[in-house]
Amino acid sequence: MLRLRTLGGLWIEKSGAVSDAGPRPRPLALLAILAAAGAKGASRDRVLGVLWPESDPERARHALSQTLYSLRRDLGAEVVLSTPDLRLDTQQITSDLAEFRAAVAAKNWTEAAALYVGPFLDGFYLADAPEFERWTETERAALDSDGLRAIEFLAKECATQGRREEAAEYWRRLTRLDPVNSRVATSYMEALMALGDRTAALAHGKAYTDLLRREFDAEPDRSVQRLMVRLREVESASGPHAVPPAAQASAVETATTSVVTSIAPVLMSKSPQPEVRPPHRTPLVRGHNVLLAAGVVGLSIFVAMGLRSATAAHAPARPVLAVGRIRDLGAPDSAALGAVLSEMLATSLGRLNDLQVIANSRMLELTPREADTSRSALTDAARRAGATEVIEGELIPLPDRQLRLEIRRVDIARGLVRGGYRVSGGDRIALFDSVTALIAADFRVGAPTASLADVTTHSPIAYRFYEEGLRAFYQFDVYAASRLFRSAIREDSTFAMATYYAWRAAVATGDSSQNWLGERAAQLASHASDRDRLLILTHVGFGRSDPRAVFAGESLATYHTHDPDALTRAAQVINDLPRAVALLNRAIALDSAVGTRTSELCRLCDALDLLTTRYEWADSGAAVERTLNRWTALRPDDPRPWALRGDWIIGFGRRAEAMTAWRRYEMLGGNERDIDLASLVRNLRFDDFSAVDATCNEHLADADSADYEQYRWYCIIGLRMEGRYREAVALNRDGRLPGSDRARHVLKPDQILSAVLDMETGRELNAADEYLAMYLPRATDPHAPEGVRARTAGWVLTLSATAAAAGGDTLRARRLVDRIDSVGSRSLFPRDPVLHHFVEGVLLARAQNHEAAVREFRMALISPTFGYTRINYELGQSLLALNRPREAISLVQGALHGGIEGSCLYVTRTELHELLAKLFVAANEPDSAAAHYAVVTRAWSHADPAFKPRYDAAQQWLARASAHRETAAQ
């Protein structure tokens, strides 16, 4: 089925893609006329009068016959019914115009607004048909009215319903479509104010005022002026204040997209590399050619009709650029090659460090697959990505195997052509080098010193596999994406970005080749553009725990402030919490404008997830819940934040709220792979020992081999919490089920759990030996990246030193401190470089130097919740010895807010409850102490004899506290 698109342009789609037939302008114009006529059709005389008004009747009828024949040939179907009146055959071709009018008639404003993506036949014209232009303007005016009415209706409806962000987005769309309407301008500013974004509202008002003064020599309406005065008064009254990242992003977007700047391209000098121009405009010279790179490419530059030259005194404002469709008119499959050409030009422009260029992968992510060659869809993707100008054009074949590349820069807000470039030559790479140099000169930025060939692939086939791989990757089909990226690598083994995405796909699928692919991507990073090089080094470096990733991340954050992927990756490696939060908030602000459909890849969710994690590590409960609320507001149908909410709330003992969050997660389509296993983990964190025992008794006996290993792991954690170490050791070593003589010899003992159990049952030196035995394989694993080796090696050395100190072998622990320091410094993970401070603190505490121990423990503590909870425990013990319990309470509570695995594995929740009870007693808060002692007595009611003195102490304290309360009540 064919589909005619007339809103925002004019083209034909076949099966969701632009038809390869590519009808010529006049046949397309005929289809537009018939689409506008609707079911009743258009008379032949009317068609002839619009398309061939100057021709005699016979010649005009012949031209119509030829046009109808051309349509049949190009489209392979009879799309026009030749009845007395011409009309479209709706069995063969549909149109967005008919759908739009039907939506308006039915008052389905949501559908109408979605269809109205731009003015009727935007950018389409016939040079020798003035009557067609007059007809277009008449139709356009009526359709504009309906389209704007639909969007305005939704804007007001959203505002009435309290959906302020959606309302602001609809008003912003209206400012793009009707930029000089004062009522629309004030409504958008008021919508921004309702969001608390005064800075962006003021920026839009200033941009609107500048536009009217420059384009029409007029002052804004009084309503705009009054609102501007009010905004300035509020801003003045509130004084200097920090602008939230979201407000900054909105203000920047408003200012850069609403102010129209006319640009005339400059002509390059005759030099191998384009020179950087001094701060004045070079007059446009028409009809001359200059040579670039020793005469490889002939250049000429054109300016689109209607543009004014910029003033001589100022360089042009620098836009945010995105590359739309670059059509290859010389290839039969132009749509596919066009995508390749777009990737090539985006990569080439990405080398301009002083210009913001949207990555082509970002454009692919935001463009629906069924509309990936649609001009309006690409323009919309560019707008949603934060671009202010989109670059489009054609690669045209010439005689003698020559090519001409014609490029236009189009202002997204108004659809005006801001600059044009035409270059000719025989080599595609050289053509893109030339256009990039021209654009660099136009904006007075430094041009690349090397060729595009140095930062990308020469192979069009590799490009095609890569582009298709990106589409699959952003459609969640990572297995297909992996195959395509590997095909691209087979075509060109030095293709850096294909290797990088192959690594990402391997990580997503758990493929064992991920280490090799990551290493290879890092090696090839120098063969990519600057943005892509930094992205590879940051992201792969983070995955490989490479400290050098921080430097790449800092550069990403500094030079690519409009790229949410760059900002998110930078935030992954920057340990400074306020800086990381600022970067993530900006990424979220940029990404929240691209849409929140759950079916899309949610890069926004990655940033929100990382922001939630950073707040969790800081044990900032209010900030975690605020971020999750923000997530659910932006994506109300997304189950993921509800799962995170439940996992976070559980650490605070808020069982009812946590269960409500998990039920919401399931209602939205989330699911647990093993519901019973998930329930077991939650009950462990709820300290619900009877439920834990019931689940373990059932599943340890019946679980298959794969599930048995997981149940064994968590059930041993539960047995440790209950002080039932003899049963835990028997389960781990012999497979003996708790409370039974039955044994399952299906698994070897877990190495980590063996050491943990030895450490906690008085065999500390055995544990120290076991941990040390784990060191060498981890430190010398040839398949693991150096940073990962350093991370794991430093960790097991710390565990060994901790056990050695606990067992009294302080000399062995002391000898390990320097090695832990040296190894930890080679890991990116923030915990590792400071672990040696923890061992120093343990040794000082053992020597009863608690004041110095506290200083060392504080230097080692990077997170109260997910760092290394043994640090919280030892720090609490030392502060209790110093009679400073209040300093310790929040830190020890933080350890309970985290999980029960990873670095939270090495002290039990019951021991943390016991310590908190002692701290609250010392702080004279008996009610809180009683709550924690109650957990201790429930946990250790069936513990090994070694725990009886501690259990009795808790029972006795609770009895005394109860007696005291009764006496006080009397």
Side-chain angles (χ1 to χ4, degrees):
M1 173 68 76
L2 300 171
R3 188 166 189 260
L4 181 68
R5 299 290 295 270
T6 63
L7 299 172
L10 179 58
W11 63 95
I12 293 176
E13 291 177 356
K14 183 176 183 181
S15 302
V18 172
S19 172
D20 289 342
R24 287 167 291 182
R26 206 165 295 268
L28 277 176
L30 171 61
L31 293 179
I33 293 170
L34 299 182
K40 68 179 183 295
S43 70
R44 291 173 182 266
D45 289 341
R46 175 59 174 157
V47 172
L48 297 176
V50 173
L51 291 179
W52 296 280
E54 304 299 328
S55 300
D56 62 74
E58 185 62 28
R59 184 167 297 184
R61 283 193 294 271
H62 179 72
L64 176 59
S65 297
Q66 289 296 108
T67 299
L68 292 171
Y69 170 78
S70 175
L71 280 171
R72 284 195 300 272
R73 182 196 61 202
D74 291 342
L75 299 179
E78 188 82 48
V79 298
V80 177
L81 296 176
S82 295
T83 56
D85 290 331
L86 299 174
R87 59 187 176 87
L88 294 181
D89 184 355
T90 55
Q91 299 299 314
Q92 299 290 336
I93 188 168
T94 61
S95 76
D96 62 344
L97 186 54
E99 295 166 4
F100 174 75
R101 284 176 169 167
V104 171
K107 296 186 178 180
N108 184 346
W109 304 120
T110 302
E111 178 68 12
L115 287 165
Y116 191 76
V117 295
F120 179 65
L121 305 191
D122 187 27
F124 182 87
Y125 67 96
L126 296 178
D128 56 345
E131 185 60 29
F132 177 78
E133 293 302 306
R134 285 190 286 272
W135 172 84
T136 299
E137 289 300 326
T138 302
E139 294 288 334
R140 182 178 293 158
L143 293 167
D144 281 357
S145 176
D146 287 336
L148 297 176
R149 180 158 58 102
I151 298 171
E152 184 169 344
F153 178 90
L154 292 176
K156 292 177 178 178
E157 183 182 61
C158 289
T160 301
Q161 296 175 357
R163 291 147 51 198
R164 295 176 179 176
E165 292 183 346
E166 293 179 56
E169 172 61 14
Y170 282 121
W171 284 119
R172 187 195 59 75
R173 280 185 64 187
L174 287 169
T175 65
R176 299 285 182 85
L177 295 167
D178 196 1
V180 296
N181 187 315
S182 62
R183 183 177 54 80
V184 169
T186 54
S187 296
Y188 180 44
M189 293 162 68
E190 288 168 350
L192 291 172
M193 291 175 64
L195 290 173
D197 203 345
R198 292 194 308 273
T199 303
L202 191 59
H204 182 74
K206 291 176 180 177
Y208 175 80
T209 301
D210 291 343
L211 172 65
L212 291 182
R213 288 172 179 169
R214 185 179 58 256
E215 298 293 328
F216 304 100
D217 195 23
E219 290 299 315
D221 185 86
R222 288 184 181 178
S223 61
V224 178
Q225 295 182 31
R226 287 194 295 268
L227 187 54
M228 291 284 286
V229 169
R230 189 163 52 136
L231 282 166
R232 290 192 180 100
E233 288 174 349
V234 172
E235 189 173 57
S236 175
S238 61
H241 59 280
V243 181
Q248 295 172 5
S250 180
V252 168
E253 180 191 22
T254 303
T256 55
T257 58
S258 297
V259 181
V260 181
T261 305
S262 296
I263 300 172
V266 296
L267 192 65
M268 291 178 53
S269 63
K270 295 181 180 180
S271 61
Q273 299 298 336
E275 62 178 330
V276 179
R277 292 288 182 182
H280 69 273
R281 299 296 293 167
T282 303
L284 180 67
V285 181
R286 297 183 184 273
H288 291 276
N289 290 320
V290 293
L291 299 180
L292 173 68
V296 173
V297 182
L299 303 176
S300 65
I301 306 176
F302 67 92
V303 181
M305 295 175 60
L307 292 185
R308 303 189 312 271
S309 296
T311 62
H314 301 286
R318 293 176 185 173
V320 180
L321 302 176
V323 178
R325 187 182 179 200
I326 308 298
R327 295 184 298 160
D328 190 332
L329 301 184
D333 49 348
S334 57
L337 287 179
V340 170
L341 297 178
S342 299
E343 167 69 29
M344 292 174 70
L345 183 55
T347 300
S348 185
L349 292 174
R351 297 177 294 156
L352 301 177
N353 292 332
D354 295 320
L355 274 183
Q356 292 280 350
V357 180
I358 303 298
N360 197 55
S361 59
R362 178 72 166 153
M363 290 289 289
L364 288 170
E365 174 192 341
L366 298 178
T367 307
R369 186 180 183 90
E370 66 276 6
D372 55 9
T373 54
S374 159
R375 179 177 179 271
S376 63
L378 290 168
T379 301
D380 183 61
R383 176 191 61 75
R384 294 165 69 201
T388 58
E389 291 186 8
V390 65
I391 294 177
E392 57 190 30
E394 300 81 30
L395 184 66
I396 304 166
L398 299 175
D400 300 325
R401 304 176 68 87
Q402 295 295 293
L403 299 165
R404 183 170 72 241
L405 180 62
E406 292 189 354
I407 296 297
R408 297 172 297 282
R409 290 193 354 258
V410 181
D411 183 285
I412 293 175
R414 300 193 64 193
L416 298 178
V417 178
R418 290 297 175 207
Y421 311 88
R422 178 184 292 136
V423 296
S424 302
D427 182 270
R428 294 185 184 207
I429 294 288
L431 291 175
F432 286 116
D433 284 338
S434 302
V435 165
T436 301
L438 289 172
I439 293 174
D442 207 9
F443 288 104
R444 312 274 172 72
V445 302
T449 58
S451 170
L452 172 62
D454 296 325
V455 296
T456 190
T457 179
H458 282 278
S459 170
I461 299 175
Y463 254 126
R464 263 201 214 175
F465 281 130
Y466 170 65
E467 187 260 346
E468 285 301 314
L470 286 176
R471 293 203 181 281
F473 188 82
Y474 290 123
Q475 294 291 327
F476 297 100
D477 191 351
V478 290
Y479 290 97
S482 179
R483 291 193 298 271
L484 289 161
F485 291 137
R486 289 169 189 265
S487 295
I489 295 169
R490 280 194 293 271
E491 293 294 328
D492 182 354
S493 61
T494 64
F495 194 174
M497 287 304 287
T499 308
Y500 164 67
Y501 273 99
W503 168 76
R504 290 186 64 175
V507 171
T509 59
D511 194 295
S512 59
S513 65
Q514 61 185 268
N515 284 337
W516 177 85
L517 285 168
E519 182 178 0
R520 180 63 175 162
Q523 292 170 349
L524 293 173
S526 60
H527 295 274
S529 67
D530 184 66
R531 178 262 186 193
D532 292 343
R533 176 181 62 83
L534 293 172
L535 188 68
I536 292 171
L537 293 178
T538 303
H539 197 182
V540 174
F542 174 77
R544 295 164 63 83
S545 200
D546 187 346
R548 293 171 296 182
V550 175
F551 301 105
E554 288 285 0
S555 296
L556 269 182
T558 301
Y559 297 113
H560 299 279
T561 56
H562 280 77
D563 187 335
D565 197 18
L567 296 172
T568 301
R569 299 308 167 200
Q572 279 187 304
V573 300
I574 292 174
N575 290 328
D576 178 63
L577 179 63
R579 179 89 191 286
V581 166
L583 292 173
L584 291 168
N585 275 323
R586 176 157 178 77
I588 293 165
L590 290 168
D591 242 333
S592 60
V594 310
T596 55
R597 295 198 303 270
T598 307
S599 59
E600 294 177 342
L601 177 80
C602 185
R603 197 192 305 267
L604 174 76
C605 300
D606 289 341
L608 285 163
D609 194 351
L610 184 54
L611 184 61
T612 302
T613 300
R614 297 304 289 260
Y615 282 136
E616 286 178 338
W617 275 62
D619 200 40
S620 181
V624 169
E625 295 196 39
R626 187 169 63 246
T627 303
L628 292 173
N629 289 339
R630 182 180 178 187
W631 191 341
T632 53
L634 286 168
R635 292 175 61 85
D637 297 327
D638 193 342
R640 191 166 158 195
W642 292 99
L644 294 175
R645 187 188 301 273
D647 285 339
W648 177 248
I649 291 174
I650 196 175
F652 293 82
R654 291 150 53 187
R655 184 165 192 155
E657 291 179 64
M659 297 306 296
T660 299
W662 281 316
R663 282 193 293 270
R664 180 66 175 163
Y665 167 74
E666 293 168 359
M667 287 173 56
L668 292 173
N671 60 81
E672 303 284 358
R673 192 186 71 82
D674 186 327
I675 295 175
D676 288 343
L677 190 65
S679 178
L680 172 60
V681 175
R682 291 165 187 167
N683 286 325
L684 285 167
R685 297 186 65 196
F686 281 135
D687 303 310
D688 189 342
F689 305 111
S690 59
V692 168
D693 291 345
T695 302
C696 288
N697 290 339
E698 176 185 354
H699 285 279
L700 286 175
D702 299 332
D704 60 34
S705 297
D707 289 337
Y708 173 77
E709 183 173 12
Q710 295 187 71
Y711 278 101
R712 183 182 73 169
W713 173 268
Y714 289 112
C715 290
I716 287 175
I717 291 176
L719 291 169
R720 289 171 57 222
M721 290 171 60
E722 296 182 62
R724 296 161 60 187
Y725 279 89
R726 287 180 297 189
E727 292 173 274
V729 170
L731 175 59
N732 185 56
R733 185 184 60 205
D734 305 322
R736 187 177 304 147
L737 305 184
S740 168
D741 293 330
R742 181 183 170 189
R744 294 187 55 167
H745 300 284
V746 294
L747 290 175
K748 294 180 179 179
D750 185 279
Q751 192 177 20
I752 292 289
L753 287 177
S754 293
V756 169
L757 293 169
D758 278 346
M759 169 75 176
E760 294 174 348
T761 54
R763 297 188 293 274
E764 296 93 345
L765 296 183
N766 283 351
D769 291 337
E770 289 172 284
Y771 286 127
L772 199 60
M774 300 177 199
Y775 165 71
L776 194 59
R778 287 163 170 75
T780 59
D781 181 3
H783 302 293
E786 180 184 356
V788 173
R789 292 200 303 269
R791 175 175 175 174
T792 54
W795 179 239
V796 294
L797 287 176
T798 299
L799 295 174
S800 180
T802 306
D809 193 347
T810 55
L811 183 60
R812 185 200 296 194
R814 171 66 60 192
R815 286 199 301 264
L816 290 176
V817 169
D818 289 341
R819 197 187 307 179
I820 294 168
D821 186 8
S822 174
V823 171
S825 66
R826 301 198 297 273
S827 168
L828 175 64
F829 193 58
R831 177 198 64 197
D832 301 332
V834 294
L835 279 174
H836 65 282
H837 288 295
F838 168 69
V839 180
E840 292 276 13
V842 168
L843 293 170
L844 288 165
R846 189 168 182 81
Q848 301 302 308
N849 188 353
H850 291 290
E851 193 71 54
V854 165
R855 289 195 295 270
E856 293 292 332
F857 288 141
R858 287 191 181 279
M859 284 190 283
L861 188 68
I862 64 157
S863 168
T865 49
F866 295 104
Y868 175 26
T869 50
R870 190 84 199 178
I871 302 175
N872 306 54
Y873 184 75
E874 298 291 350
L875 176 56
Q877 295 276 31
S878 286
L879 286 170
L880 182 62
L882 293 169
N883 198 28
R884 290 152 55 185
R886 294 191 182 278
E887 292 182 44
I889 288 172
S890 63
L891 294 171
V892 179
Q893 284 176 326
L896 286 175
H897 298 161
I900 55 174
E901 297 184 86
S903 55
C904 303
L905 175 70
Y906 299 90
V907 60
T908 67
R909 288 177 58 86
T910 310
E911 290 175 292
L912 292 169
H913 281 297
E914 182 190 38
L915 177 56
L916 274 169
K918 293 178 180 178
L919 290 168
F920 278 118
V921 169
N924 196 27
E925 294 186 35
D927 290 342
S928 295
H932 289 285
Y933 269 138
V935 176
V936 171
T937 56
R938 283 193 293 109
W940 288 345
S941 60
H942 298 92
D944 293 349
F947 286 89
K948 191 174 189 315
R950 295 161 71 180
Y951 171 78
D952 289 344
Q955 283 278 59
Q956 292 164 11
W957 187 92
L958 285 171
R960 289 194 301 271
S962 177
H964 178 74
R965 282 194 298 272
E966 291 176 4
T967 301
Q970 295 173 357

